[in-house]
Amino acid sequence: MLSGNKRLAGNFRYFFLFVLWLTSVAFGQLPRHIIAPHAGVACAEINAARVGIQILQQGGNAMDAMIAVGFAMAVTYPRAGNIGGGGFILYRDARTGKVSAFDFREVAPAAARYDMYWRADGTPDPQKSRLGALAVGVPGTVRGLALAHKRFGTFSWERLLQPAIELARYGFVVDSFLYRSLENRRERFQQFPESFRIFFPNGQPPRPGTLFIQKDLAITLEQIAREGPDAFYTGEIAAKIVEGLKKHGGIISLDDLRNYRAKEREPIKFTYRGYTIYSMPPPSSGGLTLQGILKTLETFPLHQFEHNGADYMALVSEVEKQWYAKRNLYLGDPDFVKIPFHLFSSPEVIHQIASRIDPRRPVNSREMPEYNQIRQQESTHTTHISIVDAHGNAAAMTYTLNGSYGSFLVAGGTGILFNNEMDDFSTRPGHPNMYGLVQGWANAIEPGKRMLSSMTPTIVVRDDQLVGVLGTPGGSTIITSVLQVLLNKIDFHMPLSQAVEKGRFHQQWIPDSIAYEKDRFDPDVLQELQRRGFGLMPYSKIGDIQAIWKTDAGWEISSDPRRSGYPIGY
Ligand code: GLY
């Protein structure tokens, strides 16, 4: 327990930092892109970024900082930061140069069935797989952070949880992003009294500039700090979770929690124009899909194309279409389905796809062989954190509740907001999910199975030296957002700031059209694409890249100006 004086000091410290931050923002002084000589953190929420930088400055490594930021964001960024969800971490140990991949994706509970979200007429009921207790997959974050801590942490577990506990217990100052995002979702929160009580104290979201305190969550985090991850999976918290979810029609059991395992996996590794790219293997589709697309694009002289011109957009989007079709048909949990890894690196397949691409006219998605084999998608709120420490260790974590605020359900007095990750399964093969992805039986629901993800935490190396760390939220657009930042850096040699700010587009096979960011593309280019027969779909924003890239002066660190983050470094 902290003493009253410490609490006062804690409150004062956050208030003081907030005033500093607010003043800088008001005067437009806080940049989205910085250069730091030694180390840095890029994430979507500034209180959490500060936690990370403090851990680094106290001598913690990139994994220590990642764990502390991960827990802090569960408090300060409730739309996606979590302990009630899951995700992936990629870690590069500077000493050995080895990259490790940690998988703490949620799993379907044992009582889950492939047709659990079907209506009587066989169509999937999105309400059931997206809102409330039935949408919740068995959470993996606490086990995942504990496994990552055991492998690479140097600070004690309790010490890494302490900042999150303080942020929950004594509060943090709310900004307008959080206020507006809660207000916009009032109706969904109102369906769950415990959630509403926490996120709408006195019937209103906490106002910008006021302190937001989460007492239940602080108690839960204190228990996890004291007793370790078992408190969550087999102890008192587990019992509260099961009981709380059951009251809302949930099916997660004590056995489901007890049996949950985080896993260390072999990362996807491939080269692209002399760079070595590491990314996440299944159950994320991120690494393999990125590999297929990049290896195909490597056969074209991309730097000769006009960046974001008609030929470039046509070529890149047609290549994306081909690889998303394979992603959607073949990929799922590797512990349940046989993944054709070779397909995504096969020179023959790459040659076949490259020779089929014609930027003058699009291939019709419905005429592709995969269409008949599937006759069968992911929300855009996930979050990514990139960290580099002064020793050159790098950590990339993408973790999520799936949709913003997940299932909207807080239950059992735990203060934990639970995911709605079950919607990332193909709840009815052949039908689109939240992200419009049409997927096959490889990603159908089975008890204990991990749902396919698009999360793409990525680390870039050249000549055995760390070059970049990046990732983003965005559901199915995650892979193509990471792709475009890599192309902007590697093929077009842009500074990271520009590579992140350039307009983005996305093609995911079905729907058969190019999604593009409004007001960021030349209208003549769009008109030309239309003339060639490409379908176009305007989006307001695609992605929220958090990235770090090596420069001669140190690390360039970027938090995407499209959303709420600010990078910090030293
Ligand atoms: N829930 C988004 C993803 O895992 O891709």
Side-chain angles (χ1 to χ4, degrees), residues 86-88 105-106 283-285 327 378-382 398 400-403 420-421 423-424 434-435 437 451-456 473-478:
F88 305 103
R105 184 69 162 163
E106 301 92 325
S284 180
S285 62
R327 169 210 186 275
E378 299 152 68
S379 159
T380 54
H381 256 92
T382 296
T398 315
T400 187
L401 292 168
N402 195 20
N420 62 349
E421 218 72 61
D423 193 69
D424 266 355
M434 190 188 315
Y435 307 92
L437 284 169
M451 55 296 283
L452 186 64
S453 170
S454 297
M455 293 190 277
T456 313
S476 55
T477 67
I478 290 176

Short mmCIF file of all heavy atoms in Angstrom, two decimals, residues 86-88 105-106 283-285 327 378-382 398 400-403 420-421 423-424 434-435 437 451-456 473-478, ligand 1:
data_model
loop_
_atom_site.label_atom_id
_atom_site.label_comp_id
_atom_site.label_asym_id
_atom_site.label_seq_id
_atom_site.Cartn_x
_atom_site.Cartn_y
_atom_site.Cartn_z
N GLY A 86 -5.52 -10.23 -26.03
CA GLY A 86 -4.36 -11.03 -26.39
C GLY A 86 -3.52 -10.32 -27.42
O GLY A 86 -3.85 -9.21 -27.84
N GLY A 87 -2.43 -10.96 -27.86
CA GLY A 87 -1.58 -10.31 -28.85
C GLY A 87 -0.29 -11.06 -29.09
O GLY A 87 -0.17 -12.26 -28.81
N PHE A 88 0.69 -10.32 -29.60
CA PHE A 88 1.97 -10.91 -30.01
C PHE A 88 3.12 -9.95 -29.72
O PHE A 88 2.96 -8.74 -29.86
CB PHE A 88 1.97 -11.17 -31.52
CG PHE A 88 0.82 -12.01 -32.00
CD1 PHE A 88 -0.26 -11.43 -32.66
CD2 PHE A 88 0.81 -13.38 -31.80
CE1 PHE A 88 -1.32 -12.20 -33.12
CE2 PHE A 88 -0.25 -14.16 -32.26
CZ PHE A 88 -1.32 -13.58 -32.91
N ARG A 105 -2.25 -15.06 -28.17
CA ARG A 105 -3.55 -14.88 -28.78
C ARG A 105 -4.61 -15.58 -27.93
O ARG A 105 -4.34 -16.66 -27.37
CB ARG A 105 -3.50 -15.49 -30.17
CG ARG A 105 -4.73 -15.32 -31.02
CD ARG A 105 -4.94 -13.93 -31.46
NE ARG A 105 -5.84 -13.83 -32.60
CZ ARG A 105 -6.42 -12.70 -32.95
NH1 ARG A 105 -6.21 -11.57 -32.29
NH2 ARG A 105 -7.22 -12.66 -34.00
N GLU A 106 -5.81 -15.04 -27.89
CA GLU A 106 -6.89 -15.70 -27.17
C GLU A 106 -7.25 -17.03 -27.84
O GLU A 106 -6.96 -17.23 -29.02
CB GLU A 106 -8.16 -14.83 -27.15
CG GLU A 106 -8.00 -13.48 -26.52
CD GLU A 106 -7.63 -12.39 -27.52
OE1 GLU A 106 -6.87 -12.67 -28.49
OE2 GLU A 106 -8.08 -11.26 -27.34
N PRO A 283 -0.53 -18.11 -35.27
CA PRO A 283 -1.87 -17.76 -35.73
C PRO A 283 -2.06 -16.33 -36.20
O PRO A 283 -3.21 -15.91 -36.39
CB PRO A 283 -2.73 -18.03 -34.49
CG PRO A 283 -1.83 -17.72 -33.35
CD PRO A 283 -0.49 -18.20 -33.79
N SER A 284 -1.00 -15.55 -36.42
CA SER A 284 -1.21 -14.31 -37.14
C SER A 284 -0.91 -14.57 -38.60
O SER A 284 0.03 -15.30 -38.93
CB SER A 284 -0.32 -13.18 -36.64
OG SER A 284 -0.63 -12.03 -37.43
N SER A 285 -1.71 -13.96 -39.44
CA SER A 285 -1.47 -14.07 -40.88
C SER A 285 -0.47 -13.01 -41.32
O SER A 285 -0.05 -13.00 -42.48
CB SER A 285 -2.78 -13.86 -41.63
OG SER A 285 -3.28 -12.55 -41.36
N ARG A 327 -4.23 -16.04 -47.96
CA ARG A 327 -4.35 -15.87 -46.50
C ARG A 327 -5.70 -16.37 -46.02
O ARG A 327 -5.79 -17.17 -45.08
CB ARG A 327 -4.21 -14.37 -46.16
CG ARG A 327 -4.56 -14.02 -44.72
CD ARG A 327 -5.12 -12.58 -44.62
NE ARG A 327 -5.33 -12.20 -43.23
CZ ARG A 327 -6.42 -12.48 -42.52
NH1 ARG A 327 -7.43 -13.17 -43.07
NH2 ARG A 327 -6.54 -12.10 -41.26
N GLU A 378 -11.92 -9.12 -39.71
CA GLU A 378 -11.42 -8.54 -38.48
C GLU A 378 -11.91 -7.08 -38.24
O GLU A 378 -12.37 -6.51 -39.20
CB GLU A 378 -9.90 -8.55 -38.52
CG GLU A 378 -9.44 -9.98 -38.63
CD GLU A 378 -8.15 -10.16 -39.31
OE1 GLU A 378 -7.13 -9.76 -38.76
OE2 GLU A 378 -8.20 -10.71 -40.34
N SER A 379 -11.99 -5.63 -36.16
CA SER A 379 -12.18 -4.16 -36.03
C SER A 379 -10.85 -3.49 -36.01
O SER A 379 -9.82 -4.14 -35.84
CB SER A 379 -12.92 -3.84 -34.75
OG SER A 379 -12.74 -2.52 -34.33
N THR A 380 -11.00 -2.37 -36.14
CA THR A 380 -9.79 -1.61 -36.35
C THR A 380 -9.19 -1.15 -35.04
O THR A 380 -8.33 -0.31 -35.06
CB THR A 380 -10.07 -0.43 -37.24
OG1 THR A 380 -11.15 0.27 -36.63
CG2 THR A 380 -10.48 -0.87 -38.62
N HIS A 381 -9.62 -1.73 -33.88
CA HIS A 381 -8.92 -1.24 -32.72
C HIS A 381 -8.13 -2.21 -31.90
O HIS A 381 -8.58 -2.85 -31.00
CB HIS A 381 -9.71 -0.24 -31.90
CG HIS A 381 -9.08 1.08 -32.23
ND1 HIS A 381 -9.55 1.84 -33.24
CD2 HIS A 381 -7.94 1.64 -31.81
CE1 HIS A 381 -8.74 2.88 -33.39
NE2 HIS A 381 -7.75 2.78 -32.53
N THR A 382 -7.04 -2.17 -32.16
CA THR A 382 -5.89 -2.89 -31.71
C THR A 382 -4.91 -1.78 -31.43
O THR A 382 -5.16 -0.63 -31.76
CB THR A 382 -5.49 -3.80 -32.91
OG1 THR A 382 -6.54 -4.72 -33.13
CG2 THR A 382 -4.18 -4.47 -32.76
N THR A 398 2.03 -5.97 -30.72
CA THR A 398 0.69 -5.56 -31.12
C THR A 398 -0.26 -6.39 -30.27
O THR A 398 -0.12 -7.62 -30.21
CB THR A 398 0.43 -5.83 -32.62
OG1 THR A 398 1.57 -5.40 -33.37
CG2 THR A 398 -0.80 -5.08 -33.10
N THR A 400 -4.52 -6.53 -28.44
CA THR A 400 -5.84 -6.04 -28.83
C THR A 400 -6.98 -6.62 -28.00
O THR A 400 -6.84 -7.69 -27.37
CB THR A 400 -6.09 -6.40 -30.32
OG1 THR A 400 -7.30 -5.81 -30.76
CG2 THR A 400 -6.20 -7.91 -30.53
N LEU A 401 -8.11 -5.91 -28.04
CA LEU A 401 -9.38 -6.46 -27.56
C LEU A 401 -10.26 -6.80 -28.77
O LEU A 401 -11.40 -7.15 -28.64
CB LEU A 401 -10.10 -5.43 -26.70
CG LEU A 401 -9.46 -5.10 -25.35
CD1 LEU A 401 -10.10 -3.86 -24.73
CD2 LEU A 401 -9.56 -6.28 -24.40
N ASN A 402 -9.72 -6.63 -29.96
CA ASN A 402 -10.36 -6.71 -31.27
C ASN A 402 -11.03 -5.38 -31.59
O ASN A 402 -10.37 -4.45 -31.99
CB ASN A 402 -11.33 -7.89 -31.37
CG ASN A 402 -11.69 -8.16 -32.83
OD1 ASN A 402 -10.97 -7.74 -33.72
ND2 ASN A 402 -12.80 -8.82 -33.09
N GLY A 403 -12.36 -5.26 -31.44
CA GLY A 403 -12.98 -3.96 -31.68
C GLY A 403 -12.60 -2.98 -30.58
O GLY A 403 -12.10 -3.39 -29.53
N ASN A 420 -13.56 -9.03 -27.73
CA ASN A 420 -14.57 -9.71 -28.57
C ASN A 420 -13.86 -10.41 -29.73
O ASN A 420 -14.28 -10.33 -30.88
CB ASN A 420 -15.65 -8.75 -29.07
CG ASN A 420 -15.10 -7.64 -29.96
OD1 ASN A 420 -13.90 -7.45 -30.06
ND2 ASN A 420 -15.99 -6.91 -30.60
N GLU A 421 -12.77 -11.09 -29.35
CA GLU A 421 -11.91 -11.70 -30.37
C GLU A 421 -12.56 -12.88 -31.08
O GLU A 421 -12.11 -13.28 -32.15
CB GLU A 421 -10.61 -12.17 -29.70
CG GLU A 421 -9.38 -11.98 -30.54
CD GLU A 421 -8.97 -10.53 -30.67
OE1 GLU A 421 -8.67 -9.89 -29.65
OE2 GLU A 421 -8.97 -10.04 -31.80
N ASP A 423 -14.94 -12.93 -32.87
CA ASP A 423 -15.36 -12.49 -34.21
C ASP A 423 -14.22 -12.58 -35.23
O ASP A 423 -14.46 -12.46 -36.43
CB ASP A 423 -15.90 -11.06 -34.15
CG ASP A 423 -16.64 -10.69 -35.43
OD1 ASP A 423 -17.72 -11.26 -35.66
OD2 ASP A 423 -16.13 -9.86 -36.21
N ASP A 424 -12.98 -12.81 -34.77
CA ASP A 424 -11.88 -12.98 -35.72
C ASP A 424 -11.84 -14.40 -36.30
O ASP A 424 -11.11 -14.66 -37.25
CB ASP A 424 -10.53 -12.67 -35.06
CG ASP A 424 -10.10 -11.23 -35.29
OD1 ASP A 424 -10.80 -10.51 -36.02
OD2 ASP A 424 -9.07 -10.82 -34.72
N MET A 434 -16.10 -8.62 -39.09
CA MET A 434 -16.12 -7.19 -38.80
C MET A 434 -15.27 -6.38 -39.78
O MET A 434 -15.55 -5.24 -40.06
CB MET A 434 -15.60 -7.01 -37.36
CG MET A 434 -15.78 -5.64 -36.81
SD MET A 434 -14.95 -5.43 -35.21
CE MET A 434 -15.35 -6.88 -34.29
N TYR A 435 -14.19 -6.99 -40.29
CA TYR A 435 -13.30 -6.28 -41.21
C TYR A 435 -13.61 -6.59 -42.67
O TYR A 435 -12.80 -6.33 -43.55
CB TYR A 435 -11.84 -6.63 -40.91
CG TYR A 435 -11.46 -6.42 -39.47
CD1 TYR A 435 -11.56 -7.47 -38.56
CD2 TYR A 435 -11.02 -5.19 -39.02
CE1 TYR A 435 -11.23 -7.28 -37.23
CE2 TYR A 435 -10.69 -4.99 -37.69
CZ TYR A 435 -10.80 -6.04 -36.81
OH TYR A 435 -10.48 -5.85 -35.50
N LEU A 437 -13.49 -9.39 -44.00
CA LEU A 437 -12.68 -10.50 -44.51
C LEU A 437 -13.56 -11.73 -44.68
O LEU A 437 -14.30 -12.11 -43.76
CB LEU A 437 -11.55 -10.83 -43.53
CG LEU A 437 -10.35 -9.89 -43.50
CD1 LEU A 437 -9.47 -10.21 -42.30
CD2 LEU A 437 -9.54 -9.98 -44.77
N MET A 451 -7.92 -17.84 -32.91
CA MET A 451 -8.52 -17.23 -34.10
C MET A 451 -7.43 -16.52 -34.90
O MET A 451 -6.47 -16.00 -34.33
CB MET A 451 -9.65 -16.26 -33.72
CG MET A 451 -9.30 -15.15 -32.73
SD MET A 451 -8.83 -15.70 -31.05
CE MET A 451 -10.38 -16.10 -30.30
N LEU A 452 -7.56 -16.57 -36.25
CA LEU A 452 -6.53 -15.97 -37.10
C LEU A 452 -6.48 -14.46 -36.90
O LEU A 452 -7.52 -13.81 -36.78
CB LEU A 452 -6.83 -16.30 -38.57
CG LEU A 452 -5.77 -15.87 -39.58
CD1 LEU A 452 -4.46 -16.61 -39.35
CD2 LEU A 452 -6.26 -16.12 -41.01
N SER A 453 -5.28 -13.92 -36.87
CA SER A 453 -5.07 -12.49 -36.67
C SER A 453 -4.38 -11.88 -37.88
O SER A 453 -3.81 -12.60 -38.71
CB SER A 453 -4.20 -12.30 -35.43
OG SER A 453 -3.78 -10.96 -35.33
N SER A 454 -4.42 -10.56 -37.97
CA SER A 454 -3.64 -9.85 -38.99
C SER A 454 -2.50 -9.06 -38.35
O SER A 454 -1.80 -8.31 -39.04
CB SER A 454 -4.52 -8.88 -39.76
OG SER A 454 -5.51 -9.57 -40.46
N MET A 455 -2.34 -9.20 -37.03
CA MET A 455 -1.35 -8.35 -36.35
C MET A 455 0.06 -8.65 -36.85
O MET A 455 0.43 -9.80 -37.00
CB MET A 455 -1.48 -8.52 -34.84
CG MET A 455 -2.81 -7.96 -34.34
SD MET A 455 -2.95 -7.84 -32.57
CE MET A 455 -3.44 -9.48 -32.13
N THR A 456 0.82 -7.59 -37.13
CA THR A 456 2.09 -7.71 -37.84
C THR A 456 3.21 -6.93 -37.14
O THR A 456 3.80 -6.00 -37.70
CB THR A 456 1.90 -7.20 -39.30
OG1 THR A 456 0.71 -7.77 -39.84
CG2 THR A 456 3.07 -7.57 -40.20
N PRO A 473 -2.35 -0.86 -35.51
CA PRO A 473 -3.68 -1.50 -35.49
C PRO A 473 -4.31 -1.40 -36.87
O PRO A 473 -3.69 -0.87 -37.80
CB PRO A 473 -4.46 -0.63 -34.49
CG PRO A 473 -3.84 0.71 -34.61
CD PRO A 473 -2.38 0.48 -34.94
N GLY A 474 -5.55 -1.87 -37.01
CA GLY A 474 -6.27 -1.68 -38.27
C GLY A 474 -6.89 -2.94 -38.83
O GLY A 474 -7.24 -2.98 -40.00
N GLY A 475 -7.04 -3.99 -38.02
CA GLY A 475 -7.69 -5.22 -38.51
C GLY A 475 -6.99 -5.70 -39.76
O GLY A 475 -5.75 -5.79 -39.82
N SER A 476 -7.78 -5.96 -40.79
CA SER A 476 -7.20 -6.52 -42.00
C SER A 476 -6.25 -5.55 -42.70
O SER A 476 -5.46 -5.97 -43.54
CB SER A 476 -8.32 -6.93 -42.96
OG SER A 476 -9.15 -5.80 -43.18
N THR A 477 -6.32 -4.24 -42.39
CA THR A 477 -5.44 -3.26 -43.04
C THR A 477 -4.06 -3.19 -42.37
O THR A 477 -3.20 -2.44 -42.82
CB THR A 477 -6.06 -1.84 -43.05
OG1 THR A 477 -6.13 -1.35 -41.70
CG2 THR A 477 -7.45 -1.82 -43.64
N ILE A 478 -3.87 -3.98 -41.28
CA ILE A 478 -2.58 -3.93 -40.57
C ILE A 478 -1.44 -4.31 -41.52
O ILE A 478 -0.42 -3.63 -41.62
CB ILE A 478 -2.60 -4.88 -39.36
CG1 ILE A 478 -3.54 -4.35 -38.27
CG2 ILE A 478 -1.19 -5.10 -38.82
CD1 ILE A 478 -3.71 -5.28 -37.06
N1 GLY B 1 -8.33 -8.35 -33.97
C1 GLY B 1 -7.52 -7.90 -35.06
C2 GLY B 1 -6.49 -8.92 -35.45
O1 GLY B 1 -6.10 -9.76 -34.64
O2 GLY B 1 -6.07 -8.93 -36.58
#
